[in-house]
Amino acid sequence: IIINHYRKREQGFMKESLTEKIYIQLRNKILDGEINPREFISESQVAAEYSVSKAPAKQALHILTEQGYLVSYPRKGYMVCAYSVEEINRIQEIRRCLESLCIHLAIRDATDEQIRSLRVYENMDKQNLDPRNTINAKFHIRLAEISGNEFLPETLKPLVHKASMSYIKGRPDIDHFEKIVQAMLARDEESAVCLLREDVRDL
């Protein structure tokens, strides 16, 4: 609810608050690589930079932490959540194995209606910058959900969210997702897995 509230405000439905202004500007700096991932960010530092009290600075930092942009270190401050290319590629390797299993199980057991539910991109904001709520993240997590194995979604979620941080500035490849859905509806596991591996690729 809080995240949706901020997104709507950002789109111009309401006047920006101090918290939102700080949140948007800090998020953009993170996405543009303007904040050194090896340096701590403190509430007092942010408050001084934007000439505000600590309250809106703290709230903006908290939202960024909740969304996965920052990691909070007690009594030290906040640090940008950054992964090296090697780390992301190791995550992608695990994802390709697990999501190939998801496709195998879904093609075997899921209904056509469940497979069509992968079309999350039809009703989602394509510009969403919350790494937990991008079309890419929702598509891959939904794939795990329709696998029928209740342990796969929770296993994949943290991996998908971490990988999503590296794709956050790119546009979702909706046409590619649709090809995966079509292959799954045709119960063509080989094609679906091949398409999936193209999507969950190394950097």
Side-chain angles (χ1 to χ4, degrees), residues 51-118:
S51 301
V52 298
S53 66
K54 282 189 177 181
K58 181 178 182 179
Q59 189 172 3
L61 290 166
H62 176 71
I63 294 170
L64 289 165
T65 301
E66 286 292 307
Q67 292 185 345
Y69 291 101
L70 298 175
V71 178
S72 176
Y73 293 88
R75 297 180 296 279
K76 290 185 178 181
Y78 302 80
M79 190 173 285
V80 174
C81 184
Y83 298 95
S84 68
V85 171
E86 183 180 357
E87 288 171 329
I88 291 295
N89 288 345
R90 288 202 293 266
I91 290 171
Q92 297 295 75
E93 183 177 32
I94 298 171
R95 286 184 59 201
R96 285 192 292 271
C97 292
L98 290 177
E99 294 191 45
S100 293
L101 173 61
C102 291
I103 284 180
H104 168 75
L105 294 175
I107 285 178
R108 187 188 69 185
D109 300 326
T111 64
D112 284 358
E113 182 178 1
Q114 288 174 314
I115 292 173
R116 291 191 189 99
S117 72
L118 287 169

Side-chain angles (χ1 to χ4, degrees), residues 4-190:
N4 286 337
H5 169 69
Y6 278 106
R7 186 167 65 247
K8 286 180 180 179
R9 286 169 61 99
E10 183 181 351
Q11 293 173 339
F13 288 96
M14 299 180 185
K15 185 178 179 181
E16 282 185 0
S17 67
L18 286 175
T19 296
E20 182 187 6
K21 181 179 179 179
I22 297 167
Y23 159 75
I24 292 171
Q25 292 190 27
L26 283 176
R27 186 191 65 191
N28 289 341
K29 286 184 177 182
I30 292 171
L31 294 174
D32 292 335
E34 294 179 14
I35 298 178
N36 189 332
R38 295 181 178 82
E39 292 182 0
F40 282 106
I41 306 168
S42 68
E43 294 169 9
S44 57
Q45 174 188 342
V46 172
E49 180 178 352
Y50 293 96
S51 301
V52 298
S53 66
K54 282 189 177 181
K58 181 178 182 179
Q59 189 172 3
L61 290 166
H62 176 71
I63 294 170
L64 289 165
T65 301
E66 286 292 307
Q67 292 185 345
Y69 291 101
L70 298 175
V71 178
S72 176
Y73 293 88
R75 297 180 296 279
K76 290 185 178 181
Y78 302 80
M79 190 173 285
V80 174
C81 184
Y83 298 95
S84 68
V85 171
E86 183 180 357
E87 288 171 329
I88 291 295
N89 288 345
R90 288 202 293 266
I91 290 171
Q92 297 295 75
E93 183 177 32
I94 298 171
R95 286 184 59 201
R96 285 192 292 271
C97 292
L98 290 177
E99 294 191 45
S100 293
L101 173 61
C102 291
I103 284 180
H104 168 75
L105 294 175
I107 285 178
R108 187 188 69 185
D109 300 326
T111 64
D112 284 358
E113 182 178 1
Q114 288 174 314
I115 292 173
R116 291 191 189 99
S117 72
L118 287 169
R119 291 175 172 144
V120 294
Y121 40 81
E122 293 182 340
N123 301 303
M124 283 187 65
D125 177 8
K126 296 178 178 59
Q127 304 303 319
N128 195 316
L129 293 177
D130 181 343
R132 300 169 303 176
N133 290 305
T134 61
I135 287 176
N136 181 73
K138 290 294 187 182
F139 178 87
H140 289 282
I141 291 170
R142 182 58 187 154
L143 177 60
E145 290 171 347
I146 68 170
S147 71
N149 185 317
E150 68 272 25
F151 297 104
L152 280 170
E154 291 306 314
T155 302
L156 272 170
K157 275 182 184 178
L159 299 173
V160 171
H161 292 161
K162 289 173 182 176
S164 291
M165 287 297 296
S166 66
Y167 299 133
I168 200 69
K169 296 187 75 174
R171 293 186 177 183
D173 191 347
I174 292 174
D175 289 340
H176 196 83
F177 291 156
E178 179 61 24
K179 289 177 183 178
I180 294 174
V181 172
Q182 291 292 344
M184 292 181 68
L185 286 171
R187 309 292 163 166
D188 184 348
E189 182 176 342
E190 183 178 353

